[in-house]
Structure formats: structure tokens, C-alpha cells
């Protein structure tokens, strides 16, 4: 139990730093880490990946809120853009959680591995955007929010890997996009966690101390360290060279993707 809880604490440290630093919500670290830990603990294979994704979303609520407050104090969160994305984000996250509940574990795990592969490659070799979505309308923002929310809920992330490049295309600078993405991660996590709790309700083979697809000991351990680390990551985001950090993080994602796809 001590080793297990230490693993959750370490996962929280990394996810909190990344949430504040890159606006990614930390799910890209939490989900693969929990899949490995839960597998080592011998959790029931049919729901192992579902538990990792649901627990990740629940823990991102606290991490995202802490990161958002840190960015807000620096005036970086663009609340107007946030309000235009949120309706679609909430509906999309509910739909994504429902879809994930229907997927077999192997599909969900490989889907997440493929997603990590895509994100890692994009971080290592970012593409230049020649076309900007200058001042997209409310419906366009809501549709974008729906897609971001659905995919984020399926793979258990705060959506930063999708939200940040989209917001940059709408005209925000990178630091504003990261800050606003952190704020968007909170409704994604709330709606997605609720959806995973409901879709996992009453399923046989789930471990004790879980509600639906949320395993509370893991969520608690991650929150203990991720919440205080998120503001530190936010401070670093305003000081460190983001391109170099993105490449280091992209390499880590490729390694985790290979583990999930081949393991």
C-alpha cells in the first residue's frame, strides 16, 4: 500500500507541473501511469483502462482549478474565449464518457496510445499554421468545444493538447492559450468524471473504494501533490523556454505510447 500510494504521489507531481507549464491537464501522464499501477495491482482487466481514464478526469478537476487560478493572477486567462467554448465542451465530455464506457479495454488503451503517439510527434515536430481562425463565431467555438470535450473525455485528459493549438489559431499568443486551456480543462474534467461515474455504476469486477470508474485512493494521492505543483508549473511557464520543454515532453509521450500500443 505504501508503494502504491507513493506511485500516486509521484504521478501527481508530474501531472501538476505539466498542467501549469503546458496547459495539458496532466492526463497524458496520469492515464498511462495508472494503467501500469492498476495492472500491477491485479485489477480486473475488463475495466483497468476505464478506471485509469475516469480517475484521471476526477483528479484533473483539482489540478486544473489550481493551475487556472495561478494563470488568472497573471491576467493570462481569456475568459471571453472560455465562455464561448464551455457549452460545447460540457456536452462533448458527456458524450465522450458515454462512448468510452462502451469500448472494450483493449480498444480504449490502444486508442489512448495512438493519441499519445500523435501528440508526441506534434510536440517534437510542430507544424506552422498558415491559416488563422480570426474571430470565429459562437457556433464555431461551440462546435470546436464539443470535439475537444468528447475526445478529451474518451482519453481522460484536460484537453490542453487540443485546446492550446486551437486557441493559438484564433489569435491568442501561446501563454494566453495555455492559461485559457487550463480553465477549459476544469469543465472537461467535471463533466467527464461524472459521465464515467455514471457509465461505470454497478459494473461487476470493480475494486473496493471505487464509484463507477473512479478509484478514490488514486485520485486522493494524485491531488495531494498535483494541486500544489500546478502553480509552480504556471510560474515556470512564464520563465522557461516552452519549445525545449515541449520537445522533452514529446519524447516522453512517444515512449509511453510505445508501451501502451505494444504492451
Amino acid at each position: 500500500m505504501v508503494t502504491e500510494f507513493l506511485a500516486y504521489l509521484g504521478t501527481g507531481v508530474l501531472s501538476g507541473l505539466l498542467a501549469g507549464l503546458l496547459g495539458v491537464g496532466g492526463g497524458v501522464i496520469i492515464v498511462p501511469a495508472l494503467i501500469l499501477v492498476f495492472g500491477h495491482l491485479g485489477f480486473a482487466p475488463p475495466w483497468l483502462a476505464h478506471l485509469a481514464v475516469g480517475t484521471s478526469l476526477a483528479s484533473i478537476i483539482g489540478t486544473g482549478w489550481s493551475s487556472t487560478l495561478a494563470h488568472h493572477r497573471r491576467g493570462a486567462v481569456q475568459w471571453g474565449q472560455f465562455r464561448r467554448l464551455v457549452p460545447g465542451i460540457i456536452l462533448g465530455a458527456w458524450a465522450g464518457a458515454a462512448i468510452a464506457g462502451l469500448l472494450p479495454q483493449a480498444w480504449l488503451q490502444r486508442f489512448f496510445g495512438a493519441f499519445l503517439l500523435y501528440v508526441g510527434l506534434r510536440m517534437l515536430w510542430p507544424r506552422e499554421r498558415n491559416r488563422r481562425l480570426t474571430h470565429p463565431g459562437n457556433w464555431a467555438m461551440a462546435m470546436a468545444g464539443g470535439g475537444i470535450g468528447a475526445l478529451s473525455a474518451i482519453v481522460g485528459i484536460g484537453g490542453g493538447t487540443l485546446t492550446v493549438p486551437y486557441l493559438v489559431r484564433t489569435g491568442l499568443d501561446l501563454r494566453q492559450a495555455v492559461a485559457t486551456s487550463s480553465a477549459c480543462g476544469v469543465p472537461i474534467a467535471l463533466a467527464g468524471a461524472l459521465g464515467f461515474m455514471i457509465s461505470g455504476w454497478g459494473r461487476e469486477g470493480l475494486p473496493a473504494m471505487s464509484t463507477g470508474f473512479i478509484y478514490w485512493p488514486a485520485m486522493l494521492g494524485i491531488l495531494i501533490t498535483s494541486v500544489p505543483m500546478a502553480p509552480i508549473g504556471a510560474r515556470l511557464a512564464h520563465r522557461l523556454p516552452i519549445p525545449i520543454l515541449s520537445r522533452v515532453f514529446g519524447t516522453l509521450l512517444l515512449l509511453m505510447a510505445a508501451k501502451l500500443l505494444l504492451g
Side-chain angles (χ1 to χ4, degrees):
M1 289 295 295
V2 173
T3 303
E4 175 189 353
F5 204 68
L6 286 175
Y8 300 147
L9 294 176
T11 301
V13 169
L14 290 175
S15 65
L17 276 175
L18 290 172
L21 189 61
L22 300 174
V24 296
V28 290
I29 291 291
I30 296 172
V31 173
L34 290 183
I35 287 176
L36 294 176
V37 173
F38 291 167
H40 184 72
L41 293 174
F43 284 6
W47 310 122
L48 191 148
H50 297 77
L51 279 168
V53 172
T55 304
S56 172
L57 287 167
S59 65
I60 288 171
I61 297 171
T63 307
W65 181 251
S66 178
S67 175
T68 300
L69 288 178
H71 284 293
H72 174 69
R73 293 189 187 103
R74 290 166 174 78
V77 180
Q78 304 301 297
W79 292 108
Q81 300 285 63
F82 169 83
R83 286 190 291 270
R84 297 168 71 196
L85 283 170
V86 160
I89 278 175
I90 293 174
L91 293 175
W94 279 339
I99 293 170
L102 300 174
L103 294 176
Q105 170 176 308
W107 289 19
L108 187 59
Q109 179 170 322
R110 291 191 177 100
F111 187 87
F112 186 83
F115 178 75
L116 286 188
L117 180 64
Y118 166 76
V119 174
L121 291 173
R122 286 292 304 273
M123 286 191 161
L124 287 174
W125 293 285
R127 293 183 302 176
E128 290 293 331
R129 295 282 188 180
N130 297 321
R131 184 173 64 92
R132 286 190 176 273
L133 304 173
T134 307
H135 303 300
N138 291 335
W139 277 107
M141 292 286 283
M143 293 289 288
I148 291 169
L151 184 56
S152 299
I154 291 174
V155 296
I157 63 171
T161 50
L162 303 170
T163 312
V164 170
Y166 177 76
L167 289 175
V168 168
R169 290 182 67 198
T170 66
L172 300 188
D173 66 42
L174 181 59
R175 297 187 195 281
Q176 289 176 330
V178 168
T180 308
S181 170
S182 296
C184 291
V186 177
I188 288 174
L190 277 168
L194 180 61
F196 269 86
M197 190 183 297
I198 294 172
S199 65
W201 196 276
R203 306 271 187 148
E204 293 185 3
L206 293 175
M209 295 184 289
S210 64
T211 304
F213 290 134
I214 297 177
Y215 183 57
W216 297 108
M219 192 203 78
L220 176 63
I222 291 170
L223 280 179
I224 288 173
T225 51
S226 66
V227 170
M229 293 305 293
I232 296 175
R235 286 197 294 271
L236 292 174
H238 292 264
R239 299 178 183 177
L240 297 179
I242 297 297
I244 295 176
L245 295 169
S246 294
R247 290 185 177 90
V248 173
F249 185 47
T251 302
L252 177 61
L253 292 185
L254 292 182
L255 293 174
M256 290 190 294
K259 174 66 176 175
L260 291 177
L261 291 171
L262 302 177

